Amino acid sequence: MAGSYFQEKVVPPASDQIDALSPASTPTSPSLGSGTRPNALSNKLTSVLSTSFADLDIRDALETLDAKGTENTQETRRQLRLDVQKEVIECNGDVIKEFGGVAKQLKRIGSMIANLNRSCEDMRKHISASHVEIAPVLEEASLLVTQKQQVETKQQVLTAFNAHFIISDAELTTLTSSAEPVDDRFFKVLGRVKKVHKDCQVLLGTENQRLGLEIMDQSSRNLNGAFQKLYRWTQREFKGLNLENPQLSSSIRRALRVLAERPSLFQSCLDFFAEAREHTLSDAFYTALTGSSLDLDQHLSTKPIELFAHDSLRYVGDMLAWTHSATVSEREALEILFVSEGDEIAKGINAGLNSEPWSRDDGEESGVFDGERALNQLVNRDLTGVVRVLRQRIDQVIQGHEESVLAYKIANLINFYRVTFTKLLGEDSGVLDTLNTLEESAMRQFRATMRDHITVIQAELALAPSDLRVPEFLDEALEQLKALMKSFDSSLTPVSSRGTDFQPIITEALDPFLAGCENLAKNLEEPRNCIFVLNCLLASKKTLLSFPFTGERVSEIEDTMEEHAAKLIDYQHGFFLHASGLHPLVASLASLDDSEEDLSIIPSLGPFQPKALTETSQMLDDFLPSALMDATEHLKQLLSSKMAQDITEEAAGRFCEDFEFVESKILAVDDLQAREEGNEQANPELRALFPRTGGEIRVLLS
């Protein structure tokens, strides 16, 4: 081991030295002792050189030497083995000494364990004896504990049962006593009682149903008392109900939602409310009409409609406007109940119908509640008194006036509000029935008044105006028609059906007067009769053109005007033919065609004799310079100068065509005579007597 420690410091001998020490390098070796020393040294060196410094044991030994701080001296290397052995011996002695103390402690522990074992054995004997003695007591205690747990469980069940199914006296007083207010506490107790009544079904499912039946009977009586109390409270609230008070409305809405579970009580409340509101609205309407209230203690500053409505139409309009305003206010006040709370009321009504199936109307669908329909029905009932008074007053206005325009304006005003109320209350409403009846009454009065007026006019008809202008009765009728059309134009009638809807009004207000004008025209000579009728039609057309929904009637009038204009064109055409002297020529040629046979007899006709043809030519020359002025003079009383000009130009054009026809016959006759005589250079005889050409005529008449 000492050799291993110092091998790290020893420098290996050179190879030549080793070779010199080896036996092979020695040429001669001594015979005694010369072979032993070299071999020992060689083995030592080999051992040193073959030592591996990577061996863990060597490394640990060296590290231990370093830790001891041993100096590397010759003396130390000689004593190293002895020192190490000495330390090992000393350590072993210390270990033996320590183990001696441990052995003493183990002996002491062994004696203590033996004592404990003896004590435990004694305790086991005592415990066994005690267990035998207290076993009956433990059994009895266990039984008592079990009984205690059962009693406690029953106590908990009883407490829970009482808390859930039993209503205290204070709660019962709150629920049924009329002295207690209907507030949140009332509704809370009511909800609890309804839950108890519903949960009694669980008790009825047990073997002993007596308890469930008793509690259900008691809860039913409590619920009936609560609903009766709520019903009476709601009626008291309805008596002084102010629909504009949201807090009060909230309480009443909640009460009605609960009462909906009892359809009979709910309907009774609505009936009571409708009666109260009908009385209130009727009183308010009476106050609006007269300015005085049925309540003598109430002082009002409103302007009465009957005093400040200066004419009948405004009077009717103010009454309808008040009714519409009251309807809107009533609907808005009740809408939050039947629309916003509609689902809750529907649920309550469905539950009530299930509990009271006899209260369902015949044909009523189960589980269906239409909030809008219920709202409209209630508003309609609230307005029953107002509508009754409204109908009486408007009937008095309609029957008390014999003005056709006023009757129609009232009918149109009623129609306007009828359409408005239809959007507000729906088709099924008593208000709409009343307005329909009033509108029909106004239209009957309008028709009766118009017919009476027409009868009077027909009795007074004498002669048409000398200047052929529109007669006074037609002027009045057109003014009335204009007022009617203006009133109709402000109505809510759909644009697509306006023409059809107004056609009966035109039939009543215009057609009889036009028929009267045609009767007057029968007593006039031509063309005055056509001019008079055209003037009446022109005035009617001008009035009707002011509004777009009279297009169909305007087209009919234009067709009639074209018929009368055609008669005037014929008259003007006849004037041109007779005044120009051309009529005999045209009449004689009317039955002839272009054959040579017919052409050959033309010169023998009387109007084509030289003298007569010369006179006709001279008459034509005298007529042409003033022809248009003379013809226009016939139509000077026509109100439309453009129409007169168009009629004259049309007649002149037809006259030119007749002249060109005569001219063509004359030229054909001259050509035929020239061919028969064989002299192409001869002058045409008829052409010389009648020299005017068609082009000249058109220029002079243009």
Side-chain angles (χ1 to χ4, degrees):
M1 190 169 183
S4 298
Y5 176 74
F6 289 102
Q7 286 175 4
E8 190 175 355
K9 305 271 185 176
V10 175
V11 178
S15 59
D16 55 345
Q17 293 177 351
I18 296 174
D19 292 339
L21 294 175
S22 62
S25 62
T26 305
T28 305
S29 297
S31 58
L32 290 175
S34 60
T36 303
R37 288 182 64 88
N39 288 335
L41 182 58
S42 176
N43 292 335
K44 190 69 173 179
L45 290 174
T46 300
S47 176
V48 171
L49 294 175
S50 62
T51 301
S52 176
F53 294 98
D55 191 356
L56 295 178
D57 293 338
I58 295 175
R59 293 176 63 89
D60 291 340
L62 294 175
E63 289 177 358
T64 302
L65 288 176
D66 288 339
K68 289 175 65 65
T70 305
E71 296 181 358
N72 189 8
T73 61
Q74 185 175 3
E75 184 64 23
T76 303
R77 287 195 295 272
R78 291 195 185 114
Q79 297 295 328
L80 179 61
R81 183 179 183 91
L82 296 176
D83 294 338
V84 171
Q85 290 178 352
K86 181 181 178 181
E87 289 180 2
V88 172
I89 291 171
E90 291 176 354
C91 289
N92 290 337
D94 293 336
V95 171
I96 291 171
K97 184 179 179 180
E98 293 294 332
F99 270 101
V102 172
K104 291 179 181 180
Q105 294 293 332
L106 290 176
K107 289 180 180 181
R108 188 180 301 169
I109 292 172
S111 62
M112 292 177 65
I113 291 174
N115 293 331
L116 289 174
N117 288 333
R118 289 192 298 271
S119 299
C120 289
E121 185 64 26
D122 294 338
M123 291 177 67
R124 277 197 295 271
K125 293 178 180 179
H126 289 296
I127 289 172
S128 298
S130 300
H131 183 69
V132 173
E133 294 178 359
I134 66 173
V137 178
L138 291 176
E139 292 179 0
E140 185 178 358
S142 177
L143 181 61
L144 292 175
V145 170
T146 303
Q147 292 177 353
K148 178 183 177 183
Q149 292 176 350
Q150 293 176 352
V151 171
E152 289 177 350
T153 302
K154 291 181 179 180
Q155 181 66 32
Q156 292 175 357
V157 172
L158 180 60
T159 302
F161 181 84
N162 291 334
H164 186 78
F165 287 98
I166 303 301
I167 305 299
S168 65
D169 294 339
E171 291 176 334
L172 189 60
T173 302
T174 301
L175 192 65
T176 58
S177 176
S178 58
E180 295 292 330
V182 176
D183 51 10
D184 292 340
R185 187 163 174 264
F186 169 83
F187 289 107
K188 184 178 179 180
V189 175
L190 179 61
R192 182 167 177 265
V193 174
K194 289 193 291 186
K195 190 174 187 306
V196 168
H197 187 271
K198 181 178 180 182
D199 292 343
C200 285
Q201 298 176 1
V202 179
L203 298 178
L204 295 177
T206 60
E207 295 181 358
N208 187 6
Q209 299 180 355
R210 179 180 177 182
L211 180 61
L213 292 174
E214 291 179 355
I215 295 177
M216 180 172 286
D217 181 64
Q218 181 65 34
S219 61
S220 298
R221 290 196 300 270
N222 294 338
L223 284 176
N224 291 334
F227 278 114
Q228 288 295 330
K229 174 184 176 180
L230 188 61
Y231 170 68
R232 292 190 296 270
W233 177 85
T234 304
Q235 284 188 324
R236 289 195 302 270
E237 291 296 318
F238 276 157
K239 290 181 180 179
L241 177 62
N242 180 8
L243 292 177
E244 297 180 357
N245 186 349
Q247 295 180 354
L248 190 59
S249 294
S250 176
S251 301
I252 294 177
R253 291 202 314 271
R254 188 174 183 182
L256 289 176
R257 287 202 305 269
V258 175
L259 282 176
E261 299 178 12
R262 293 291 188 271
S264 57
L265 297 179
F266 180 74
Q267 189 61 43
S268 297
C269 281
L270 293 185
D271 293 342
F272 184 84
F273 173 77
E275 293 176 1
R277 291 303 299 168
E278 178 184 355
H279 176 74
T280 301
L281 292 176
S282 299
D283 187 20
F285 188 48
Y286 178 80
T287 302
L289 289 175
T290 62
S292 60
S293 175
L294 297 177
D295 186 2
L296 300 178
D297 296 334
Q298 186 177 3
H299 300 283
L300 302 172
S301 59
T302 57
K303 297 179 180 180
I305 295 176
E306 293 181 346
L307 296 180
F308 286 86
H310 304 294
D311 58 84
S312 300
L313 184 63
R314 179 179 175 183
Y315 177 61
V316 174
D318 288 349
M319 289 191 295
L320 289 172
W322 189 96
T323 305
H324 177 260
S325 176
T327 303
V328 172
S329 300
E330 193 78 4
R331 180 181 172 84
E332 288 178 351
L334 298 176
E335 190 171 14
I336 191 172
L337 173 63
F338 289 97
V339 178
S340 300
E341 309 293 341
D343 294 339
E344 297 295 330
I345 291 180
K347 293 178 182 178
I349 289 178
N350 294 335
L353 292 177
N354 293 331
S355 62
E356 299 179 4
W358 58 85
S359 62
R360 182 183 291 112
D361 296 335
D362 295 338
E364 182 179 357
E365 296 182 4
S366 178
V368 176
F369 175 77
D370 189 352
E372 287 288 342
R373 181 170 174 268
L375 172 62
N376 293 337
Q377 289 178 348
L378 184 58
V379 173
N380 185 61
R381 293 177 61 186
D382 296 346
L383 295 172
T384 302
V386 174
V387 172
R388 183 169 54 251
V389 176
L390 180 68
R391 180 174 181 174
Q392 295 174 354
R393 297 301 178 95
I394 295 180
D395 267 336
Q396 291 176 0
V397 174
I398 294 174
Q399 302 301 328
H401 294 78
E402 296 183 355
E403 299 179 17
S404 58
V405 176
L406 176 61
Y408 179 75
K409 285 183 176 181
I410 291 175
N412 201 29
L413 181 63
I414 295 173
N415 175 268
F416 173 84
Y417 279 98
R418 180 181 61 80
V419 175
T420 304
F421 275 103
T422 301
K423 298 177 181 178
L424 189 63
L425 299 178
E427 296 289 344
D428 187 13
S429 172
V431 178
L432 295 182
D433 295 339
T434 300
L435 293 179
N436 284 327
T437 303
L438 291 174
E439 183 180 0
E440 293 173 359
S441 176
M443 289 303 299
R444 284 196 301 270
Q445 181 69 12
F446 164 72
R447 295 187 183 96
T449 306
M450 289 298 302
R451 290 167 186 170
D452 293 343
H453 182 57
I454 292 169
T455 302
V456 173
I457 290 176
Q458 289 176 348
E460 296 177 353
L461 287 178
L463 298 174
S466 59
D467 57 357
L468 303 183
R469 291 187 175 275
V470 178
E472 183 178 355
F473 69 86
L474 182 59
D475 273 335
E476 295 177 356
L478 292 178
E479 288 297 325
Q480 288 184 354
L481 181 61
K482 186 182 296 184
L484 297 177
M485 290 189 297
K486 185 176 180 181
S487 176
F488 181 80
D489 189 48
S490 63
S491 68
L492 297 179
T493 306
V495 178
S496 58
S497 61
R498 284 196 166 195
T500 305
D501 293 345
F502 194 71
Q503 187 64 31
I505 306 303
I506 297 178
T507 303
E508 295 287 344
L510 179 62
D511 290 354
F513 298 96
L514 292 179
C517 293
E518 291 179 355
N519 291 332
L520 292 178
K522 293 178 181 178
N523 300 325
L524 299 175
E525 297 179 353
E526 193 177 7
R528 290 172 58 82
N529 56 353
C530 292
I531 293 174
F532 176 68
V533 173
L534 280 175
N535 286 338
C536 295
L537 293 175
L538 284 170
S540 302
K541 178 184 176 182
K542 181 180 179 181
T543 301
L544 293 174
L545 284 175
S546 302
F547 299 91
F549 49 82
T550 58
E552 182 179 354
R553 191 67 180 89
V554 169
S555 299
E556 296 176 0
I557 290 178
E558 289 177 347
D559 294 339
T560 307
M561 290 172 60
E562 289 179 0
E563 295 176 1
H564 289 281
K567 294 179 181 180
L568 289 179
I569 292 173
D570 292 339
Y571 177 83
Q572 291 288 71
H573 178 230
F575 167 73
F576 279 114
L577 290 177
H578 288 86
S580 64
L582 198 64
H583 181 266
L585 301 179
V586 175
S588 60
L589 294 175
S591 60
L592 302 178
D593 55 20
D594 293 336
S595 64
E596 293 184 357
E597 181 180 358
D598 288 343
L599 292 176
S600 62
I601 64 175
I602 291 178
S604 62
L605 297 175
F608 287 91
Q609 297 299 316
K611 181 179 180 180
L613 192 60
T614 301
E615 292 177 355
T616 300
S617 177
Q618 183 62 41
M619 188 176 180
L620 178 63
D621 291 340
D622 295 339
F623 167 73
L624 288 176
S626 61
L628 287 178
M629 295 180 61
D630 295 340
T632 305
E633 185 68 16
H634 296 155
L635 305 179
K636 65 180 181 179
Q637 293 176 324
L638 190 62
L639 294 179
S640 175
S641 58
K642 184 178 184 303
M643 179 178 286
Q645 182 180 356
D646 293 340
I647 291 173
T648 303
E649 290 178 354
E650 179 67 21
R654 291 171 61 179
F655 173 75
C656 292
E657 292 175 358
D658 293 339
F659 182 86
E660 291 171 350
F661 170 73
V662 174
E663 182 184 14
S664 65
K665 296 295 184 181
I666 291 175
L667 293 177
V669 170
D670 289 345
D671 183 63
L672 179 62
Q673 290 179 352
R675 288 198 307 270
E676 290 177 352
E677 294 176 0
N679 185 7
E680 297 181 359
Q681 301 297 328
N683 294 326
E685 184 178 359
L686 295 181
R687 186 58 173 170
L689 298 175
F690 200 78
R692 286 286 183 182
T693 64
E696 294 174 348
I697 297 299
R698 288 188 178 277
V699 171
L700 291 173
L701 294 181
S702 60

